Structures are given as structure tokens and as C-alpha cells.
Amino acid sequence: EMNRTLINNMWDYQRLLGSVKKGASVLFLVKRGGSTIYLTVKGRDDELKKMVSRKTDQIPERGKLEDAQEQVRLYPDNAGVHLILGDLYEKQGRIDEAIASFKEAVRINPNNADMQIVLGHAYTKVDQYRDAMASIKEAIRIRPNESKAYYFLGMVYEKLSKHQEAIVSYKEAIRINPDHVKAHRSIGFV
């Protein structure tokens, strides 16, 4: 039996997890910034039922963060909950904490190109371009035809004043995705 449910936020995710029958397997496809991050959950933990008993539309941002931290405590080996926590930190401007959460997600799931890109993009927000480059190049190694990775790599090269490398990266993003508007635009400004 397959059930397709659109999940718009962590609370929908928790509510859906709470409805999973014991022993069932669930595959979540999480869209983040145009990329899809695949999360697999096997079974269900009854502790989640406690988390979903409140009205989620009335939880303030701080409450969301505290609940995400609780999810990380309950499921420390789930890359997805670290990603959600990092996203909440990032929205609050707490980039160092976001990076720590994204790094943990990548440690748990190192072969996920999308998570590598998320980490690399976060590094650019605090001008850690060498670390950003390493994460983005790892994403390219994992998924060589990811235009977004080449686009972000071009941005990093630009920040490092490596204009020729930036142009090559933007051109590769365009080769993979001829409709990549940002890469077309960026190549004109290098």
C-alpha cells in the first residue's frame, strides 16, 4: 500500500510518522531548495505521539526549534532531523549551529549530494569558501550531473576571485541544464 502525502513542514512530518503502523516502512522525499532529499524511516517510535498532540499551527518559531532539538535527541542517527534542525537554525540566522547540524546530517548520510550542497551553501553564508568548495565538490563526485552543484561551485570560485574556474563551473551548469537562468546570469557578471 502506498500513501502519497504532501508534507509542508516538520509538524506534518511528525503527524504522518505518528500514523505509521508498527513495523511499516516509510520513504520521505523532502524538497529543499529545488533538490529532493530522500529519508527512509522504518517502523515508528511511540514517543512521537507525545510530540504531535499539540496544535501545530500555534507553535511559535522557538517551539519549533525546541521540538526539532527533541527530535534530534530521540533520533540521533536520522540525518533528516539534523537537516530540519539546521534549517531552523539557519532561518534564525544561527549559521554556525546550522552548519553543525548540516555536518552531522552529512556524517550520517555522506553519499547524499543534496545534503552536501546544503552544507556547502551554509558555509558560504559565513565566508568559509574553502569548506564550501569541499562540500560542493563532494556533491559533484556523488552526482556528477547536478547543475545546482556546479552553479554553487561557480559562486564559490567567484568569491575566491578565481574567475576562469567560475566561468567553467557556470558553463558546466548550463551544459547540464540549458535553462539554468542563474548560471546564465552569473556568467555575464564574471
Side-chain angles (χ1 to χ4, degrees), residues 58-104:
Q58 296 176 354
I59 299 174
E61 191 69 26
R62 180 173 171 81
K64 290 178 185 179
L65 181 63
E66 290 165 355
D67 284 344
Q69 290 166 331
E70 177 67 7
Q71 288 296 303
V72 166
R73 190 187 68 71
L74 291 171
Y75 304 100
D77 295 327
N78 184 318
V81 295
H82 288 281
L83 189 70
I84 290 167
L85 179 60
D87 197 42
L88 288 168
Y89 280 136
E90 190 174 36
K91 286 177 182 174
Q92 291 184 359
R94 297 166 64 177
I95 305 301
D96 289 335
E97 291 163 291
I99 288 171
S101 292
F102 295 150
K103 282 172 75 172
E104 185 61 14

Side-chain angles (χ1 to χ4, degrees), residues 1-7 16 19-20 25-28:
E1 174 187 339
M2 181 177 288
N3 178 10
R4 293 180 185 211
T5 304
L6 179 63
I7 299 174
L16 185 61
S19 69
V20 174
S25 294
V26 179
L27 172 68
F28 289 97

Side-chain angles (χ1 to χ4, degrees), residues 6-15 56 64 84:
L6 179 63
I7 299 174
N8 294 309
N9 53 49
M10 189 170 85
W11 316 117
D12 289 347
Y13 166 77
Q14 290 176 340
R15 222 174 304 154
T56 60
K64 290 178 185 179
I84 290 167

